Amino acid sequence: MSVMSGRRSVVAAGALALLVTGCSSTEEPEVEQVATTFEDPTGDARERCGLLVPTALEQLEQDAGAACEDAIGDLPLEGGDVARVEVWGGDAQVRLDGDTVFLTKTSTGWRVAAALCSPRPEGPYDCGVEGS
Amino acid sequence: MTARSRGFLRDNSLSLVFGGLFLVTLVGQALAGLADYNADQVAQGLATVSLGEFVTSSTFGVDVMENWQSEYLQFFLFIYLTVWLIQVGSTESKPVGDEGKEGDKQQKVGRYADRNSPAWAKVGGWRTALYSRSLGTLMGSLFLLTWAASSIAGWAAYNSRQLADREDPVSWAGYLGEADFWNRSFQNWQSEFLAVGSMAVFSVYLRHRGSPESKAVGESHATTGSSG
């Protein structure tokens, strides 16, 4: 392979990487805001519940045996400062000091798909709030 | 031999038809892929995406790039290996005894170049050396470029699925060690090698009248490197 064509390959691959990561970074502020609002224990219960995807909302209410607005205050959603945000396509993960939240992009914006998530040695996170 | 031009369309009909087929099928892939993707999104209660969003997504990108890289790998290897390797009786092979890079006279380079030879075939030195490998070099470069693009788009698509499955995303280097990357690479490579190998062997015994990919119908099975 010639030096020039090799450089062009690297530049083009770098441009693609920039496109992939650049598109993700523009979504990060909204993702972070949704996660921190949902995890804020002093926030408005109705607003927090409105940030859940329908399946997670339904599961939460089924598990609690009560409306989300009445039950969300009892959940140990500790939130805290944002440690890391990952956005890949229509899915995202926000690591907070006290929790890990997974989000998905819907027609109305980013919504919480799973929260109260703890990592397991193998396999997916174990989440206390999650759609079935 | 340089034939007299019979008009741009007829002179370039092979390239134009394949170029057209490429564009039509790429659009077809985008439309079918969009419909499939949005059907999955609806089934999961998620937002559908527009055509513009889909064709710039990692999902579409990896599907396109993983196919392109294998095509360029196929041609890169075919060009390089047929310098040295032969298949007796195949139209895809040089005749027995011609293995190797061949002499300057046979290749019409340097002082053996004729009036119509490309300029860089005549000048000698690094330019003739580079031009002598330009086709294989371009194919090899395009393979590396599209393989790298495939790895980046595949990495993004993989991490999206990881998050949807409530798992941590991985680094690009980590993705290169994942089965997903190698499964995508190998499944495309094996099909290319099958196609090339099949063509090399089938052309020994089978004919297609009028095609330069075939020997003349009445040519012997033992004749190597001729076309009809």
Side-chain angles (χ1 to χ4, degrees), chain B:
Chain B
M1 191 175 73
T2 306
R4 194 163 55 87
S5 173
R6 295 182 301 174
F8 180 81
L9 291 179
R10 286 188 70 175
D11 286 352
N12 299 283
S13 55
L14 185 63
S15 306
L16 290 170
V17 166
F18 273 100
L21 286 172
F22 162 70
L23 291 175
V24 167
T25 51
L26 187 63
V27 170
Q29 181 187 352
L31 295 175
L34 174 67
D36 185 46
Y37 184 84
N38 277 341
D40 279 349
Q41 292 288 101
V42 169
Q44 295 174 55
L46 301 175
T48 57
V49 298
S50 67
L51 180 62
E53 288 172 318
F54 180 69
V55 297
T56 53
S57 72
S58 57
T59 305
F60 182 70
V62 68
D63 286 348
V64 172
M65 284 300 139
E66 73 176 25
N67 281 282
W68 287 14
Q69 58 89 12
S70 66
E71 304 303 330
Y72 287 119
L73 173 65
Q74 173 198 147
F75 283 114
F76 165 68
L77 285 179
F78 196 55
I79 290 163
Y80 269 83
L81 293 181
T82 50
V83 173
W84 300 98
L85 306 179
I86 61 161
Q87 172 58 57
V88 173
S90 176
T91 55
E92 304 301 320
S93 169
K94 296 199 286 191
V96 179
D98 278 356
E99 296 96 323
K101 293 192 285 186
E102 303 174 5
D104 286 356
K105 187 174 184 181
Q106 199 171 354
Q107 288 291 316
K108 298 205 291 186
V109 295
R111 62 194 176 96
Y112 298 105
D114 62 30
R115 192 165 51 89
N116 294 319
S117 295
W120 279 32
K122 300 176 186 173
V123 291
W126 67 270
R127 283 175 292 183
T128 298
L130 179 63
Y131 188 66
S132 298
R133 296 164 182 79
S134 55
L135 185 60
T137 300
L138 177 64
M139 291 298 180
S141 301
L142 288 172
F143 161 62
L144 291 176
L145 174 62
T146 51
W147 197 28
S150 169
S151 75
I152 293 167
W155 171 47
Y158 180 80
N159 276 347
S160 182
R161 284 199 308 279
Q162 285 285 100
L163 295 181
D165 293 339
R166 314 287 179 255
E167 296 198 60
D168 286 327
V170 299
S171 66
W172 179 66
Y175 177 65
L176 298 185
E178 290 290 339
D180 182 79
F181 174 65
W182 291 103
N183 180 41
R184 287 178 180 278
S185 295
F186 283 132
Q187 70 167 302
N188 283 280
W189 293 353
Q190 57 85 10
S191 65
E192 304 305 332
F193 299 149
L194 174 69
V196 172
S198 301
M199 185 64 193
V201 174
F202 292 167
S203 71
V204 175
Y205 304 103
L206 304 176
R207 309 286 186 269
H208 196 97
R209 187 169 182 156
S211 174
E213 301 305 312
S214 165
K215 291 189 269 196
V217 179
E219 193 65 70
S220 160
H221 291 334
T223 304
T224 307
S226 73
S227 61

Side-chain angles (χ1 to χ4, degrees), chain A residues 107-130:
Chain A
S107 56
T108 52
W110 287 92
R111 292 293 177 264
V112 174
L116 284 176
C117 298
S118 308
R120 290 189 288 199
E122 293 287 332
Y125 279 69
D126 183 20
C127 299
V129 175
E130 185 176 22

Side-chain angles (χ1 to χ4, degrees), chain A residues 43-60:
Chain A
D44 177 67
R46 179 185 288 265
E47 183 187 5
R48 296 172 72 197
C49 289
L51 294 175
L52 283 166
V53 296
T55 53
L57 176 67
E58 191 179 322
Q59 192 66 43
L60 185 154

Side-chain angles (χ1 to χ4, degrees), chain A residues 38-127:
Chain A
F38 178 75
E39 289 274 337
D40 181 4
T42 64
D44 177 67
R46 179 185 288 265
E47 183 187 5
R48 296 172 72 197
C49 289
L51 294 175
L52 283 166
V53 296
T55 53
L57 176 67
E58 191 179 322
Q59 192 66 43
L60 185 154
E61 292 184 332
Q62 191 177 322
D63 292 345
C68 176
E69 287 86 342
D70 299 326
I72 196 166
D74 297 331
L75 295 174
L77 295 166
E78 295 173 6
D81 292 335
V82 173
R84 183 168 184 163
V85 179
E86 295 269 4
V87 181
W88 294 94
D91 295 280
Q93 178 195 53
V94 178
R95 291 189 197 180
L96 302 141
D97 288 344
D99 195 9
T100 297
V101 181
F102 289 89
L103 302 96
T104 191
K105 195 172 188 178
T106 72
S107 56
T108 52
W110 287 92
R111 292 293 177 264
V112 174
L116 284 176
C117 298
S118 308
R120 290 189 288 199
E122 293 287 332
Y125 279 69
D126 183 20
C127 299

